[in-house]
């Protein structure tokens, strides 16, 4: 016991010395306090939603008309899910959705990952201005990632004075409050938060599809890839508690959802910063147990954090879809280092090999940036080499776009546009060749398909999705939408299949 005591005293002294004790304590009390604050916030927002609902109802009875809203969503799945939350709040207030921007309340949920994403928003604002001139009382709101950039907001305040509400990515839960403030004053309401630990649970949300939806498992990003603006506009990485996620998924399943997409900028690092850490793979195992959930997808996986544990869990799972989006960005180890991606060409290829060995039928897709500062022809050829070796099912290719405030924007060796464009075209061609080669792998097989919608071009057909994310069109009754059915894939058309529904 002497030694034991000695060790404990040494440990206590060490903890005191490093301040670790105090930090652990503070962290626990903070978690508790945050939970209380978050619950109070939920109650407050629900009260405001209720107040607005009553006054909208009175207005509706007087005018005989319901107020309409429309959301234009730019960017990634994060924004799509945020738009569902916005939609949920507005529907509770009493708004009905309409399919054009000619509405009583139009919201632009913006993206700023590349310059052209910003330009699209300005284009829409020009149109909205005209609509507002003919529609007195129309409200226009801007939210999302671009609003987290002070320069963009300054520009809007100066040049787009008809905008009524501006908010960011951290305070979507406050929408009802912001709307109420705007209705009580005649000035623009701007509410922007730089960053927050706050995760407000239990507010309403709507779903674009009744049978599938995204579920946030974490917010923000800590990776600071040197080209990327996301960590600056989405804040620090914070994981939701597993209990909250599981409760949400159970409620979704009870409400008819069969497919969920777990969302995070880097799902593979889920849970690391929780008081009781849990891995992403462990979370997946828990979610798998939920009855009614038939398919699980997730987005995005950072190659540096994709664990063997995850590969093993995926391999043994019947619910986790056979698709991995594994952003490469560049195939050059030299550039990957400057990009701060923290993997090498070799470790990436090794990872792909391990994934393919475990799951030969998996579909791999990726993101690639062309023209990152200092990219040489040799660097670019390394990227081409990885693309050829992996043979992606499909890939999103992007021309590097300079984002103010990121380390890469300050690099002096920016690549000339013509050079980048020429490389981009070569890469695109190769990506298309790889997709064509990978296409048709499932031809003449029977696959499980989630029926998603009536085909837009040919209403006699239904459109569904395979586990590997490819689409199939086949004849069938629209009562099958939202169900998982078996389809024989008769013919591959490259990006999609034509199939025949098998009777049960
Ligand atoms: N969290 C995800 C990516 C989110 S952004 C991940 O790490 O994979 C989506 C994609 O946009 C990135 O994968 C990257 O390929 C691209 N992208 C990000 N910043 C960019 C920039 N400045 N220029 C061009 N493409 C960029
Ligand atoms: Fe951007 Fe990198 Fe974070 Fe993805 S992991 S969001 S690319 S900083
Ligand atoms: Fe765009 Fe924000 Fe997503 S910048 S890509 S919408 S996280």
């Amino acid at each position: 016991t002497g030694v034991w005591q000695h060790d404990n005293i040494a440990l206590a002294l060490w903890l005191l010395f490093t301040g670790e004790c105090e930090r652990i304590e503070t962290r626990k009390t903070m978690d508790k306090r945050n939970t209380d604050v978050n619950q109070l916030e939920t109650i407050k927002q629900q009260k405001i939603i209720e107040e607005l609902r009553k006054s909208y109802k009175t207005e509706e009875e007087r005018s005989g008309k319901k107020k309409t809203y429309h959301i234009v969503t730019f960017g990634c799945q994060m924004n799509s899910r945020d738009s569902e939350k916005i939609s949920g709040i507005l529907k509770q207030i009493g708004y009905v959705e309409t399919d054009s921007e000619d509405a009583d309340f139009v919201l632009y949920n913006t993206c700023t990952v590349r310059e052209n994403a910003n330009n699209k928003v300005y284009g829409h604002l020009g149109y909205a201005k005209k609509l507002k001139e003919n529609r007195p009382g129309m409200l226009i709101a801007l939210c999302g990632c671009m609003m987290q950039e002070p320069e963009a907001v300054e520009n809007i305040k100066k040049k787009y004075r008809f905008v009524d509400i501006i908010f960011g990515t951290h305070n979507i839960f406050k929408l009802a409050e912001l709307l109420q403030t705007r209705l009580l004053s005649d000035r623009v309401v701007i509410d922007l938060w730089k960053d927050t630990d706050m995760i407000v649970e239990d507010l309403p949300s709507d779903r674009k599809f009744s049978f599938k939806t995204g579920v946030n498992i974490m917010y923000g990003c800590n990776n600071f890839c040197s080209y990327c603006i996301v960590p600056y506009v989405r804040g620090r990485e914070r994981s939701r508690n597993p209990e909250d996620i599981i409760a949400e998924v159970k409620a979704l399943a009870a409400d008819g959802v069969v497919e969920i997409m777990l969302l995070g900028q880097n799902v593979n690092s889920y849970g690391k910063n929780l008081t009781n850490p849990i891995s992403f793979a462990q979370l997946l195992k828990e979610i798998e147990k939920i009855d009614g959930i038939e398919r699980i997808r997730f987005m995005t996986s950072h190659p540096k954090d994709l664990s063997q544990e995850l590969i093993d869990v995926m391999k043994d799972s019947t619910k986790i879809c056979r698709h991995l989006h594994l952003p490469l960005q560049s195939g050059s180890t030299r550039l990957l280092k400057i990009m701060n991606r923290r993997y090498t060409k070799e470790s990436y290829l090794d990872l792909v090999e391990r994934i393919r060995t475990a799951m030969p039928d998996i579909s791999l897709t990726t993101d690639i940036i062309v023209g990152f500062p200092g990219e040489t022809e040799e660097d670019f050829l390394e990227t081409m080499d990885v693309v050829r070796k992996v043979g992606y099912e499909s890939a999103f290719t992007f021309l590097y776009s300079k984002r103010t405030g990121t380390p890469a924007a300050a690099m002096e060796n920016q690549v000339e546009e013509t050079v980048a464009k020429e490389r981009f075209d070569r890469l695109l061609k190769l990506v298309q060749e790889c997709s064509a080669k990978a296409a048709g792998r499932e031809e003449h097989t029977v696959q499980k398909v989630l029926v998603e919608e009536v085909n837009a071009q040919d209403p006699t057909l239904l459109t569904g999705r395979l586990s590997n994310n490819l689409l199939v069109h086949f004849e069938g009754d629209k009562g099958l939408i939202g169900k998982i059915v078996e389809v024989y894939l008769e013919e591959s058309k490259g990006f999609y299949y034509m199939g025949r529904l098998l009777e049960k």
Side-chain angles (χ1 to χ4, degrees):
T1 52
V3 177
W4 183 85
Q5 263 179 359
H6 184 265
D7 274 2
N8 263 359
I9 292 166
L11 177 67
L13 280 176
W14 182 78
L15 286 175
L16 266 180
F17 178 70
T18 57
E20 199 64 29
C21 260
E22 199 187 317
R23 266 210 296 278
I24 294 169
E25 239 352 272
T26 328
R27 177 77 184 273
K28 276 195 186 134
T29 30
M30 251 178 60
D31 278 1
K32 166 90 179 72
R33 211 199 58 210
N34 275 348
T35 314
D36 294 345
V37 171
N38 293 357
Q39 279 168 357
L40 281 178
E41 190 59 45
T42 310
I43 294 166
K44 178 180 166 195
Q45 294 304 323
Q46 274 165 344
K47 198 169 145 258
I48 299 174
I49 291 175
E50 191 49 33
E51 283 166 15
L52 283 172
R53 199 184 63 79
K54 281 195 188 127
S55 66
Y56 272 59
K57 186 106 193 120
T58 317
E59 169 67 18
E60 188 190 315
E61 276 157 11
R62 196 192 54 76
S63 69
K65 272 192 292 192
K66 273 193 183 280
K67 291 226 183 275
T68 56
Y69 77 94
H70 183 72
I71 309 172
V72 183
T73 309
F74 303 91
C76 66
Q77 263 94 358
M78 290 300 156
N79 265 16
S80 303
R81 181 62 186 144
D82 286 347
S83 288
E84 290 187 343
K85 292 178 183 169
I86 292 170
S87 203
I89 296 173
L90 294 178
K91 280 190 176 161
Q92 278 220 337
I93 292 172
Y95 277 98
V96 288
E97 193 168 11
T98 177
D99 57 8
S100 91
E101 285 160 83
D102 193 4
D104 295 309
F105 192 4
V106 181
L107 299 98
Y108 297 99
N109 194 1
T110 63
C111 169
T112 186
V113 78
R114 286 169 291 275
E115 187 62 36
N116 55 6
N118 295 40
N119 296 340
K120 278 190 213 158
V121 174
Y122 290 121
H124 276 267
L125 277 179
Y127 176 57
K129 182 176 185 210
K130 290 217 183 71
L131 290 175
K132 193 169 179 170
E133 281 162 6
N134 297 318
R135 202 186 239 281
M138 177 178 172
L139 291 174
I140 297 175
L142 281 166
C143 60
C145 296
M146 191 176 148
M147 298 307 112
Q148 295 292 139
E149 288 185 285
E151 312 82 63
V153 174
E154 275 313 306
N155 187 35
I156 286 158
K157 275 198 320 205
K158 250 191 260 142
K159 298 193 193 141
Y160 300 84
R161 304 182 83 112
F162 53 91
V163 172
D164 298 282
I165 303 173
I166 299 178
F167 58 107
T169 53
H170 300 303
N171 50 354
I172 288 168
F173 65 87
K174 275 181 76 180
L175 173 60
E177 186 181 341
L178 303 179
L179 174 62
Q180 192 178 50
T181 313
R182 177 64 187 87
L183 293 173
L184 294 174
S185 78
D186 54 0
R187 301 197 25 212
V188 52
V189 174
I190 302 179
D191 193 70
L192 295 165
W193 298 10
K194 208 162 174 294
D195 200 354
T196 179
D197 282 343
M198 201 151 175
I199 300 180
V200 178
E201 301 282 351
D202 299 327
L203 278 169
S205 89
D206 188 33
R207 296 197 298 274
K208 191 165 165 232
F209 296 97
S210 62
F211 51 88
K212 69 168 191 178
T213 187
V215 173
N216 298 100
I217 62 167
M218 59 208 296
Y219 299 94
C221 181
N222 281 354
N223 289 307
F224 290 95
C225 302
S226 62
Y227 49 82
C228 184
I229 197 149
V230 172
Y232 306 87
V233 295
R234 287 266 168 187
R236 290 296 59 72
E237 182 180 299
R238 50 215 182 274
S239 295
R240 280 176 76 194
N241 283 318
E243 307 84 64
D244 291 330
I245 298 171
I246 286 159
E248 179 176 343
V249 177
K250 280 187 177 158
L252 289 169
D255 199 29
V257 169
V258 292
E259 179 179 303
I260 51 162
M261 159 95 73
L262 305 176
L263 299 174
Q265 292 299 349
N266 176 12
V267 290
N268 301 323
S269 76
Y270 169 78
K272 283 184 185 157
N273 54 5
L274 288 170
T275 315
N276 299 313
I278 120 164
S279 70
F280 178 54
Q282 285 166 328
L283 176 73
L284 277 173
K285 273 167 100 174
E286 290 307 311
I287 293 178
E288 266 215 289
K289 293 182 194 150
I290 300 172
D291 283 338
I293 297 298
E294 305 278 348
R295 281 184 169 184
I296 306 168
R297 300 183 185 277
F298 50 84
M299 189 81 119
T300 303
S301 287
H302 195 308
K304 79 175 163 67
D305 295 314
L306 202 155
S307 65
Q308 188 59 42
E309 185 195 13
L310 175 63
I311 299 176
D312 296 340
V313 167
M314 281 185 85
K315 182 181 169 207
D316 295 336
S317 167
T318 51
K319 292 188 177 179
I320 304 173
C321 289
R322 287 295 194 247
H323 171 219
L324 251 182
H325 187 67
L326 200 59
L328 169 70
Q329 314 301 2
S330 167
S332 152
T333 298
R334 188 187 78 85
L335 272 197
L336 284 170
K337 190 154 197 285
I338 305 172
M339 286 177 162
N340 194 27
R341 290 291 286 178
R342 287 171 278 170
Y343 52 84
T344 62
K345 177 186 182 186
E346 290 69 33
S347 67
Y348 184 95
L349 286 172
D350 173 65
L351 178 63
V352 166
E353 168 102 30
R354 282 188 287 128
I355 295 168
R356 283 249 168 89
T357 310
M359 296 166 280
D361 57 341
I362 199 152
S363 153
L364 291 176
T365 57
T366 198
D367 293 346
I368 299 167
I369 298 176
V370 177
F372 179 83
E375 183 188 72
T376 62
E377 178 65 17
E378 288 70 43
D379 293 318
F380 175 69
L381 290 177
E382 298 272 26
T383 301
M384 296 283 275
D385 188 42
V386 176
V387 171
R388 215 172 280 118
K389 286 193 168 122
V390 177
Y392 297 100
E393 263 68 11
S394 70
F396 295 103
T397 50
F398 305 110
L399 271 174
Y400 167 74
S401 169
K402 202 171 172 176
R403 306 318 289 135
T404 312
T406 62
M411 293 177 188
E412 276 167 10
N413 44 359
Q414 303 284 324
V415 174
E416 231 180 275
E417 208 181 309
T418 47
V419 176
K421 273 234 168 82
E422 186 275 331
R423 286 180 192 159
F424 182 87
D425 292 343
R426 265 191 284 162
L427 176 65
L428 192 63
K429 203 162 154 265
L430 178 63
V431 163
Q432 283 164 348
E433 280 166 26
C434 291
S435 304
K437 231 186 252 168
R441 226 174 35 190
E442 295 84 12
E443 204 176 39
H444 306 312
T445 64
V446 175
Q447 296 285 331
K448 284 210 163 78
V449 169
L450 173 59
V451 187
E452 297 202 337
E453 56 199 350
V454 172
N455 188 299
Q457 272 91 47
D458 179 352
T460 65
L461 296 178
L462 295 175
T463 297
R465 210 174 276 273
L466 313 187
S467 169
N468 70 7
N469 217 27
L470 280 184
L471 293 178
V472 53
H473 308 300
F474 56 96
E475 273 179 27
D477 184 88
K478 67 173 195 265
L480 291 174
I481 290 174
K483 304 230 159 38
I484 294 191
V485 296
E486 295 206 320
V487 175
Y488 176 70
L489 306 182
E490 285 183 326
E491 193 189 349
S492 162
K493 298 269 191 188
F495 291 116
Y496 63 93
Y497 287 98
M498 295 307 295
R500 179 164 46 83
L501 178 69
L502 299 185
E503 301 300 328
K504 279 245 163 110

